[in-house]
């Protein structure tokens, strides 16, 4: 029975990790729950909306009107940068005006679209300002001040609603709870003014920085009011274009309550809460649901989506500016030798801004292009355009163009995955399909707006063509199912919008009877099915064929022979002998002067141990391996690395997680004499008296010996399957390369064995590989075998003997250790039920080893918890040998 103190300690550890993750979980779960609640509450409102009619309304807005609305929306978003200019002046942040504006745009637009509770904006501001060597204390203080000031403008608008300046009563009468939300928001401003004058606020926010004076606070509140008022005016301008008679005060009143509702939801951009409240408010004014939905959709696109896309461009430009400057300097050196056509062809490469648009954002643009093609095919074109197109082209050609648009739309949705992963073949096919899609959408109904958009995306792809260099990317069965489901949903939405719904709201058109529908409902369904079949065929080809897929093929006999010759003049490590198991592939770097053994798990290329080769070439070899892995969209991680190459890993962008410690027994001072080794001496003497023998078998081994060892191994495993990668396993061809030590009973029966693994370090270090025993062996069998191994290795003039790694040993003990290491320490202390971590460490301590740490080196872009799970899967995976 556990003591009370032990139970209390476990409870404290659990509380620690609960506290660490609680805040993050709440930041995700609360918005998700609110969105679900809003959806359930607003189902009736959403059902009243005819989304086909809404799309038709958006489709027929004049382009000049859209551009004017977009211009004002961009101006409204730009005004948010006033916050950053105020902070720049107060904290004396040494950045240029352009840098300040750019950082503000990137952080604010990303936070509006993807930032839960301001996380994205704070993270981006921190990253961008840290690049300019701004002190972390200044960054933290400015972000903390910004997070407290942004609501003050909305608080002023709430007071305007309470005093009747803005008409908000129409919504409050329907939903009285919104009155409490308005009052809470209104009281925020006076509460903030009182709080910021307290000593607590000064210590928490300013610390050793300049105190917030009245001018700074007033300017910040003014910036907040400007942000909310301009956003509300953008909402009103969009609404007034579609909802005649909508006044500015009515729009601002609805916008204020909607913004408060969205703020309470904690969702990015207030999505869900803002939209439902705004829809309800506009409909209470007597406007039809379809038009109010069009207002919300257009507001989201102009005020959120387009500014965010511009922010992605600015972010990509900022992250790659230094590299682009270097490329431009190199470009100037050979520009003079280009002829005129070559200069035109290479001209886009000089524009880092467009060239670095980013594969991720381009992938999303291609995805949107596919949906635009489907929506264009599902919604009717203007009648005069149909008449004009009908005079130029035949009806069969227009039908074919329509059906091909559907197929191309679904294919673009699938290929957006390849664009996001920078696959060169996906780029080539996507570029062709975009151009073809523009042609067909133009031919089916003279829809030049969609054609222009597709051509713009194609142009951006062409400008960024140098970014698409990968020959492949991981594509699992799960991804295939996911993309198959996405295409199915897209085809279903297309068929739902297109079949039978379009003519219902166009019957009142006087010229409608002059033009018959080119595509009937049955043909819509046929087009959707044909598109699905082609898309699923493409997904199947990507999954099944994958000609450029990097897999775990292992090492062939020729590669193993090459490794043997290589190790004759290069120094190995404790893991080198495991390479001859044949389950690892080899990457030869620096003209075959460095070998990097690896296996692939999901989107990771996992290297076993440190690269083997001359130390001066290790950094270059790591970079070469990273470039090789990047061709297949894989991240390179190093498993069980030693501290010796820490500086090299650091300079190549790696961070570390301690996996445990390797037990290295110094053999020169090893002896059984003395009080410390009394237990080992007693076990050894007992086995000697009872007639047990220790023998060493050198390869090649006879078949009857291998069979006996196989029987012992099978009994030792007790039905469990072998592990691999970083652990040796029972394989005859592998054991034929190893020295095997045997423990033989007085009756002449082999009861235990251990295979040895040299470190290929000129005879300095020897380690144990497989170590297994039969049923019903006497107590102390493994102790005696280890003692015999150490004595024999000492006689052979080895300097060290490795007993293997003690996983999670000495991990996470420091107070400043990262969360994952503290969790690992908890597992080490209390995980004996699943694996004897602490017991294994104590067992190896009996041999007085020197402990050498082993680490996992991984890029900052890799999630450590997910990586650790993948490594468990990799080691537990059934070992596979290479082929000739």
């Amino acid at each position: 029975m556990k003591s009370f103190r032990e139970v209390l300690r476990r409870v404290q550890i659990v509380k620690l990790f609960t506290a660490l993750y609680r805040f993050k979980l709440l930041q995700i779960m609360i918005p998700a729950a609110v969105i679900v609640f809003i959806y359930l509450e607003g189902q009736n409102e959403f059902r009243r909306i005819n989304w086909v009619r809404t799309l038709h309304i958006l489709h027929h807005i004049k382009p000049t009107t859209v551009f004017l609305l977009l211009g004002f929306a961009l101006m409204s978003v730009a005004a948010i940068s006033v916050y950053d200019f105020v902070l720049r002046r107060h904290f004396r942040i040494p950045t240029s005006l352009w840098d300040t504006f750019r950082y503000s745009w990137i952080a604010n637009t990303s936070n509006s679209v993807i930032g839960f509770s301001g996380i994205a904006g704070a993270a981006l501001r921190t990253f961008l300002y840290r690049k300019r060597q701004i002190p972390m204390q200044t960054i933290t203080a400015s972000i903390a001040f910004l997070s407290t000031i942004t609501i003050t403008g909305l608080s002023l608008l709430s007071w305007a609603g309470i005093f009747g300046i803005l008409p908000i009563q129409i919504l409050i009468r329907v939903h009285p709870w919104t009155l409490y939300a308005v009052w809470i928001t209104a009281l925020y401003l006076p509460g903030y003014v009182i709080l910021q004058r307290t000593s607590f606020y000064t210590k928490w926010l300013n610390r050793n920085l300049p105190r917030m004076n009245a001018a700074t606070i007033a300017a910040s509140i003014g910036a907040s009011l400007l942000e909310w008022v301009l956003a509300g005016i953008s909402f009103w301008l969009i609404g007034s274009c579609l909802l005649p008679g909508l006044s500015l005060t009515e729009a601002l009143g609805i916008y204020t309550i909607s913004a408060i509702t969205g703020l309470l939801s904690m969702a990015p951009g207030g999505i869900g809460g803002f939209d439902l409240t705004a829809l309800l408010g506009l409909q209470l004014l007597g406007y039809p649901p379809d038009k109010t939905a069009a207002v919300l959709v257009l507001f989201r696109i102009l005020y959120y989506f387009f500014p965010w896309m511009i922010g992605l461009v600015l972010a990509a430009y900022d992250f790659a500016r230094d590299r682009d400057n270097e490329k431009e300097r190199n470009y100037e050196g050979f520009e003079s030798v280009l002829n005129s056509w070559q200069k035109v062809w290479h001209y886009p490469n000089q524009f880092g801004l467009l060239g670095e648009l980013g594969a991720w954002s381009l992938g999303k643009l291609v995805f949107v292009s596919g949906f635009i093609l489907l929506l264009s095919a599902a919604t009717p074109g203007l009648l005069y355009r149909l008449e004009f197109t009908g005079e130029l082209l035949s009806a069969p050609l227009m039908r074919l163009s329509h059906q091909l648009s559907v197929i191309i739309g679904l294919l673009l949705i699938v290929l957006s995955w390849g664009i996001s992963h920078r696959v060169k073949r996906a780029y080539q096919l996507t570029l062709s399909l975009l151009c073809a899609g523009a042609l067909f959408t133009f031919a089916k109904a003279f829809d030049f707006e969609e054609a222009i958009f597709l051509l713009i995306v194609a142009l951006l792809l062409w400008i960024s063509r140098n970014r698409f260099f990968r020959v492949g990317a991981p594509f699992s069965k799960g991804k295939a199912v996911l993309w198959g489901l996405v295409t199915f949903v897209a085809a279903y939405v297309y068929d739902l919008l297109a079949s039978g719904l379009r003519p219902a709201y166009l019957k009142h058109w006087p010229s409608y009877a002059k033009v018959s529908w080119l595509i009937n409902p049955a043909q819509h369904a046929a087009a959707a099915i044909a598109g699905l079949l082609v898309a699923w065929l493409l997904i199947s080809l990507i999954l099944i064929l994958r000609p450029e897929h990097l897999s775990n093929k292992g090492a062939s006999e020729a590669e193993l022979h090459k490794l043997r010759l290589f190790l004759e003049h290069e120094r190995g490590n404790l893991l080198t002998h495991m390479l001859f198991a044949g389950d690892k592939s080899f990457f030869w770097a620096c003209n075959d002067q460095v070998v990097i053994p690896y296996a692939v798990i999901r989107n990771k290329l996992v290297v076993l141990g440190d690269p083997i080769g001359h130390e001066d070439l290790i950094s270059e070899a790591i970079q070469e391996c990273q470039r090789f892995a990047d061709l297949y969209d894989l991240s390179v991680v190093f498993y069980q690395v030693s501290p010796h190459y820490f500086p090299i890993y650091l300079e190549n962008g790696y961070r570390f997680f301690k996996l445990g410690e390797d037990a290295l027994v110094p053999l020169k001072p090893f002896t059984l004499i003395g009080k410390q080794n009394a237990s080992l001496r007693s076990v050894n003497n007992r086995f000697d008296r009872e007639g047990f023998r220790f023998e060493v078998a050198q390869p090649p081994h006879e078949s009857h010996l291998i069979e006996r060892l196989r029987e012992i191994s099978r009994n030792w495993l007790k039905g469990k399957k072998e592990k691999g990668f970083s652990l040796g396993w029972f394989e005859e061809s592998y054991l034929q390369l190893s020295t095997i030590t045997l423990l033989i009973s007085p009756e002449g029966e082999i009861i235990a064995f251990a295979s040895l693994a040299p470190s290929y370090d000129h005879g300095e270090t020897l380690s144990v590989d497989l170590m297994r025993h039969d049923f019903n062996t006497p107590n102390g069998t493994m102790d005696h075998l280890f003692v015999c191994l150490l004595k024999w290795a000492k006689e052979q003039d080895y300097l060290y003997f490795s007993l293997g790694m003690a996983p999670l040993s000495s991990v996470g003990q420091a107070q400043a250790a990262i969360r994952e290491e503290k969790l690992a320490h908890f597992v080490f202390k209390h995980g004996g039920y699943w694996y004897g971590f602490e017991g294994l460490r104590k067992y190896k301590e009996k041999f007085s080893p020197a402990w050498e740490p082993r680490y996992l080196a991984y890029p900052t872009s890799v999630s450590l918890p997910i990586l650790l799970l993948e490594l468990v899967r990799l080691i537990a995976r059934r070992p596979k040998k290479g082929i000739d």
Side-chain angles (χ1 to χ4, degrees):
M1 184 175 180
K2 296 184 177 68
S3 66
F4 176 76
R5 183 176 297 178
E6 177 71 14
V7 174
L8 181 62
R9 183 168 65 251
R10 293 194 180 195
V11 170
Q12 290 173 340
I13 294 174
V14 170
K15 284 184 176 180
L16 170 65
F17 287 100
T18 302
L20 287 171
Y21 287 100
R22 184 181 295 158
F23 183 64
K24 287 187 176 181
L25 289 174
L26 286 177
Q27 288 174 323
I28 297 173
M29 292 175 64
I30 291 178
V34 171
I35 291 173
V36 171
F37 172 76
I38 290 170
Y39 172 76
L40 294 176
E41 289 294 313
Q43 284 189 68
N44 293 332
E45 300 299 328
F46 291 125
R47 286 171 181 169
R48 292 175 57 193
I49 299 171
N50 187 334
W51 291 104
V52 180
R53 176 64 175 164
T54 299
L55 291 173
H56 172 74
I57 293 170
L58 293 172
H59 186 75
H60 289 79
I61 299 176
K62 293 181 180 179
T64 53
T65 302
V66 175
F67 282 120
L68 289 174
L69 294 174
L70 176 60
F72 189 86
L74 295 178
M75 184 188 72
S76 302
V77 174
I80 306 178
S81 62
V82 175
Y83 290 123
D84 292 81
F85 286 109
V86 172
L87 295 174
R88 174 179 177 269
R89 180 178 180 181
H90 177 78
F91 291 107
R92 298 181 178 88
I93 300 175
T95 56
S96 66
L97 296 177
W98 166 240
D99 284 344
T100 303
F101 176 78
R102 190 171 72 253
Y103 296 166
S104 173
W105 189 289
I106 294 170
N108 291 325
T109 56
S110 296
N111 190 68
S112 296
V113 175
I114 61 175
F116 286 92
S117 305
I119 294 175
L124 282 170
R125 276 189 172 87
T126 301
F127 177 78
L128 292 167
Y129 280 111
R130 284 296 291 169
K131 286 179 61 180
R132 294 293 178 266
Q133 308 302 319
I134 308 300
M136 196 63 200
Q137 184 183 14
T138 302
I139 298 174
T140 303
S142 62
I143 291 175
F145 175 72
L146 187 61
S147 65
T148 60
I149 203 71
T150 52
I151 309 175
T152 56
L154 189 59
S155 181
L156 285 171
L157 290 178
S158 299
W159 283 112
I162 291 172
F163 288 115
I165 300 173
L166 300 178
I168 62 174
Q169 296 302 321
I170 189 172
L171 268 170
I172 291 176
R173 282 195 298 269
V174 178
H175 290 293
W177 67 268
T178 56
L179 179 62
Y180 298 102
V182 171
W183 269 105
I184 292 172
T185 308
L187 292 173
Y188 178 85
L189 178 57
Y192 170 78
V193 173
I194 295 172
L195 180 64
Q196 62 86 27
R197 299 182 65 84
T198 63
S199 59
F200 170 79
Y201 183 86
T202 302
K203 291 179 181 179
W204 172 67
L205 182 62
N206 292 98
R207 297 185 182 180
N208 298 323
L209 297 170
R211 182 181 175 88
M212 293 290 176
N213 52 40
T216 300
I217 294 173
S220 302
I221 295 174
S224 179
L225 181 62
L226 181 67
E227 172 195 356
W228 293 103
V229 168
L230 288 179
I233 294 175
S234 296
F235 179 76
W236 168 67
L237 288 174
I238 294 172
S240 61
C241 291
L242 299 175
L243 309 174
L246 179 65
S247 67
L248 175 60
T249 55
E250 289 174 334
L252 284 177
I254 292 173
Y255 177 80
T256 298
I257 295 189
S258 301
I260 293 172
T261 308
L263 193 66
L264 292 176
S265 72
M266 297 175 62
I271 189 168
F274 175 91
D275 304 276
L276 181 60
T277 307
L279 281 173
L280 179 61
L282 293 174
Q283 290 176 29
L284 288 174
L285 294 176
Y287 296 106
D290 304 334
K291 287 190 175 182
T292 57
V295 171
L296 267 295
V297 171
L298 194 58
F299 179 70
R300 286 290 182 186
I301 292 173
L302 299 183
Y303 191 79
Y304 289 96
F305 180 74
F306 271 106
W308 179 52
M309 296 304 297
I310 295 173
L312 288 177
V313 175
L314 293 175
Y317 164 75
D318 190 85
F319 298 159
R321 183 170 56 176
D322 295 337
R323 184 175 63 184
D324 285 342
N325 290 339
E326 181 65 26
K327 289 182 178 180
E328 287 176 6
R329 287 194 292 270
N330 295 336
Y331 181 82
E332 292 171 359
F334 71 87
E335 185 183 25
S336 57
V337 302
L338 298 176
N339 59 36
S340 299
W341 168 245
Q342 289 172 326
K343 288 180 179 180
V344 171
W345 180 257
H346 287 280
Y347 187 69
N349 292 336
Q350 301 175 63
F351 288 91
L353 174 64
L354 291 178
E356 284 290 348
L357 181 61
W360 186 86
S361 55
L362 281 174
K364 301 306 170 283
L365 281 175
V366 171
F367 188 90
V368 171
S369 299
F371 263 103
I372 285 178
L373 268 176
L374 292 176
L375 290 176
S376 176
T379 55
L382 296 176
L383 292 180
Y384 78 89
R385 292 186 184 179
L386 285 169
E387 292 175 343
F388 177 74
T389 310
E391 293 176 0
L392 295 178
L393 304 172
S394 63
L397 183 57
M398 294 174 67
R399 292 193 191 97
L400 179 62
S401 299
H402 182 281
Q403 292 168 347
L404 289 176
S405 296
V406 176
I407 294 174
I408 292 174
L410 290 170
L411 288 178
L412 288 175
I413 289 174
V414 175
L415 288 170
S416 65
W417 168 85
I419 296 299
S420 296
H421 289 78
R422 301 185 183 186
V423 179
K424 188 173 183 179
R425 292 183 178 180
Y427 156 76
Q428 295 167 342
L429 184 55
T430 301
L431 189 63
S432 302
L433 289 177
L434 284 170
C435 296
L439 175 63
F440 292 133
T441 194
F442 190 82
K444 71 178 178 60
F446 203 59
D447 289 331
F448 61 85
E449 297 93 346
E450 290 91 334
I452 291 173
F453 178 82
L454 295 177
L455 291 176
I456 290 174
V457 176
L459 178 63
L460 291 174
L461 273 178
W462 176 73
I463 290 174
S464 304
R465 63 187 181 277
N466 291 336
R467 313 298 174 222
F468 300 95
F469 57 88
R470 290 184 176 133
V471 297
F475 193 80
S476 62
K477 294 179 181 178
K479 285 185 179 179
V481 172
L482 175 63
W483 283 100
L485 181 62
V486 169
T487 54
F488 176 80
V489 171
Y492 175 75
V493 171
Y494 158 77
D495 186 60
L496 185 66
L497 293 175
S499 300
L501 296 178
R502 302 193 301 174
Y505 59 85
L506 295 176
K507 292 180 179 179
H508 63 281
W509 286 19
S511 58
Y512 173 71
K514 298 179 181 179
V515 181
S516 61
W517 290 106
L518 298 172
I519 308 293
N520 58 45
Q523 290 171 317
H524 281 302
I529 293 173
L532 272 180
L533 291 177
V534 175
W536 288 352
L537 177 61
L538 177 62
I539 293 173
S540 301
L541 291 175
I542 295 174
L543 178 64
I544 297 172
L545 298 181
R546 289 182 293 177
E548 303 295 343
H549 175 63
L550 190 64
S551 60
N552 294 298
K553 62 180 181 179
S556 65
E557 285 299 327
E559 289 175 309
L560 294 176
H561 178 69
K562 182 179 179 180
L563 177 64
R564 293 187 189 94
L565 298 177
F566 177 77
L567 292 173
E568 290 178 0
H569 56 83
E570 292 294 344
R571 188 183 181 91
N573 55 50
L574 292 173
L575 300 170
T576 300
H577 187 71
M578 292 183 187
L579 306 187
F580 291 101
D583 63 325
K584 269 76 69 177
S585 301
F586 300 153
F587 176 75
W588 295 90
C590 303
N591 296 320
D592 292 353
Q593 298 182 77
V594 178
V595 62
I596 299 178
Y598 70 88
V600 177
I601 181 74
R602 287 189 68 248
N603 60 342
K604 311 292 190 305
L605 187 149
V606 183
V607 178
L608 180 62
D610 297 305
I612 304 171
H614 197 278
E615 186 171 343
D616 294 340
L617 300 174
I618 297 300
S619 181
E620 181 183 348
I622 291 175
Q623 295 170 26
E624 193 174 328
C625 183
Q626 288 173 331
R627 291 192 294 269
F628 167 74
D630 200 25
L631 292 175
Y632 300 91
D633 196 19
L634 301 173
S635 299
V636 181
V637 299
F638 291 83
Y639 182 71
Q640 288 195 30
V641 301
S642 65
H644 181 69
Y645 290 133
F646 259 27
I648 295 177
Y649 290 117
L650 282 171
E651 72 181 17
N652 285 285
Y654 285 91
R655 60 173 61 178
F656 304 96
F657 174 82
K658 189 174 182 181
L659 295 168
E661 294 180 315
D662 209 321
L664 285 172
V665 179
L667 294 176
K668 283 188 176 181
F670 176 74
T671 179
L672 294 180
I673 301 174
K675 183 178 180 180
Q676 182 179 0
N677 296 320
S679 61
L680 292 178
R681 185 171 61 251
S682 174
V683 170
N684 187 63
N685 293 337
R686 175 166 58 86
F687 272 79
D688 286 344
R689 286 195 308 269
E690 293 177 1
F692 288 88
R693 301 195 321 271
F694 173 79
E695 293 185 2
V696 178
Q698 300 291 348
H701 305 293
E702 297 180 358
S703 58
H704 67 85
L705 174 61
I706 295 295
E707 288 305 314
R708 173 55 186 159
L709 299 184
R710 191 190 307 278
E711 182 182 355
I712 294 174
S713 178
R714 190 181 300 115
N715 294 336
W716 184 83
L717 288 171
K718 298 179 180 178
K720 299 177 182 177
K721 69 175 184 178
E722 296 269 21
K723 299 184 183 298
F725 188 63
S726 61
L727 301 172
W729 74 92
F730 195 96
E731 170 67 33
E732 181 175 353
S733 59
Y734 177 54
L735 287 178
Q736 289 290 0
L737 303 175
S738 305
T739 298
I740 299 178
T741 58
L742 310 170
L743 187 60
I744 303 175
S745 67
E747 294 78 19
E749 186 80 11
I750 300 174
I751 62 170
F753 74 93
S755 64
L756 303 181
S759 298
Y760 301 91
D761 56 356
H762 312 298
E764 293 183 8
T765 310
L766 188 67
S767 61
V768 65
D769 193 3
L770 273 72
M771 193 168 187
R772 297 176 179 181
H773 60 80
D774 206 350
F775 290 134
N776 302 321
T777 55
N779 291 334
T781 296
M782 302 313 289
D783 287 356
H784 179 64
L785 184 55
F786 264 126
V787 169
C788 294
L789 282 171
L790 295 172
K791 292 169 64 177
W792 179 83
K794 183 176 181 179
E795 293 171 359
Q796 303 302 313
D797 295 327
Y798 285 99
L799 301 179
Y800 299 95
F801 189 92
S802 172
L803 302 178
M805 193 173 73
L808 305 184
S809 174
S810 301
V811 177
Q813 294 179 345
Q815 184 177 358
I818 61 176
R819 292 191 302 266
E820 290 81 3
E821 289 188 348
K822 289 184 177 180
L823 180 60
H825 180 67
F826 177 80
V827 173
F828 176 80
K829 297 291 291 183
H830 308 291
Y833 178 81
W834 301 281
Y835 188 91
F837 296 102
E838 192 170 18
L840 184 61
R841 163 87 185 202
K842 289 180 179 179
Y843 177 80
K844 294 182 179 182
E845 283 280 12
K846 293 192 295 185
F847 300 94
S848 304
W851 294 97
E852 185 173 293
R854 292 290 179 265
Y855 294 88
L856 172 67
Y858 62 99
T860 55
S861 59
V862 170
S863 170
L864 180 57
I866 294 176
L867 174 59
L868 293 175
L869 292 176
E870 290 171 347
L871 289 172
V872 171
R873 285 183 54 204
L874 177 62
I875 295 171
R877 190 164 58 187
R878 183 179 180 85
K880 294 181 181 179
K881 293 197 62 177
I883 57 176
D884 294 336

